[in-house]
Amino acid sequence: MEYEFDDNPERVDRDAVWQWLSTEAYWGRWRTRTDVEAQLDSAWRVVAAYRRDTGELVGFARAISDGVGFAYLADVFVLDGHRGHGLGKGLVSLMIDEGPGPHFRWTLFTSDAHGLYRQFGFAEPDQTALVRPAAPL
C-alpha cells in the first residue's frame, strides 16, 4: 500500500480524526466534538497521512505554536491497520523538520512512542522546564 503526507488543513477528514480521538486515544477523551473542532480550527498546523489509492486519512498530527520559537505537538496517531509503515515517523518529520518550525523549541506529552519522538530530539525536560498539571474537571 502506498501513502502520501499532506499539510493542507482543508483535506483533513474531521470525522476520521474525531472518530479516532473519541474512541481510541488514551488522552483527552473528555473533549467533545465541539472541542476537537475548535482545536482543529485554531491549530497552527495539521499534517496527515493518506492512502494514495483511496485518499483515506490513516494518520494525523496537530500542533499549536506562537509561530516564532515555540510549538506543542499533539494528537499524533496512526490507525492500527497502517502501523509499521513509517507513517508516525513521516508525520512527525513533516510537522517538525520539514515545516516552518524546525528551529522551534518543541514540546509534547505522551506515555508511549518515546522511541519515535527521541529520533526527533525529544528528551525528558531539564531544569529549565516546569509543568503545571491540569486541574481536575
Side-chain angles (χ1 to χ4, degrees):
M1 192 172 311
E2 292 186 26
Y3 300 96
E4 64 182 327
F5 298 94
D6 196 349
D7 65 352
N8 179 355
E10 300 300 317
R11 187 174 178 191
V12 171
D13 180 344
R14 289 171 173 239
D15 290 333
V17 171
W18 166 248
Q19 175 63 32
W20 199 91
L21 291 177
S22 65
T23 62
E24 301 294 325
Y26 63 81
W27 66 90
R29 280 199 188 160
W30 53 266
R31 294 178 286 184
T32 66
R33 174 76 188 241
T34 301
D35 293 334
V36 171
E37 291 286 343
Q39 289 176 318
L40 292 172
D41 290 340
S42 66
W44 171 69
R45 190 159 190 245
V46 294
V47 298
Y50 301 91
R51 285 180 55 162
R52 275 198 198 276
D53 59 347
T54 65
E56 173 193 9
L57 184 145
V58 297
F60 177 80
R62 175 177 66 87
I64 58 175
S65 175
D66 63 6
V68 177
F70 176 82
Y72 175 77
L73 181 61
D75 294 335
V76 179
F77 70 84
V78 174
L79 299 181
D80 284 341
H82 300 276
R83 293 182 181 162
H85 299 282
L87 298 179
K89 186 182 277 190
L91 288 167
V92 176
S93 179
L94 179 59
M95 179 66 82
I96 293 175
D97 292 335
E98 300 168 40
H103 302 292
F104 290 2
R105 184 176 201 175
W106 283 85
T107 62
L108 71 93
F109 292 96
T110 185
S111 64
D112 64 358
H114 290 82
L116 167 66
Y117 299 117
R118 286 186 201 293
Q119 294 176 51
F120 294 91
F122 286 92
E124 286 72 17
D126 60 21
Q127 68 278 5
T128 67
L130 295 173
V131 176
R132 179 179 180 249
L137 293 175

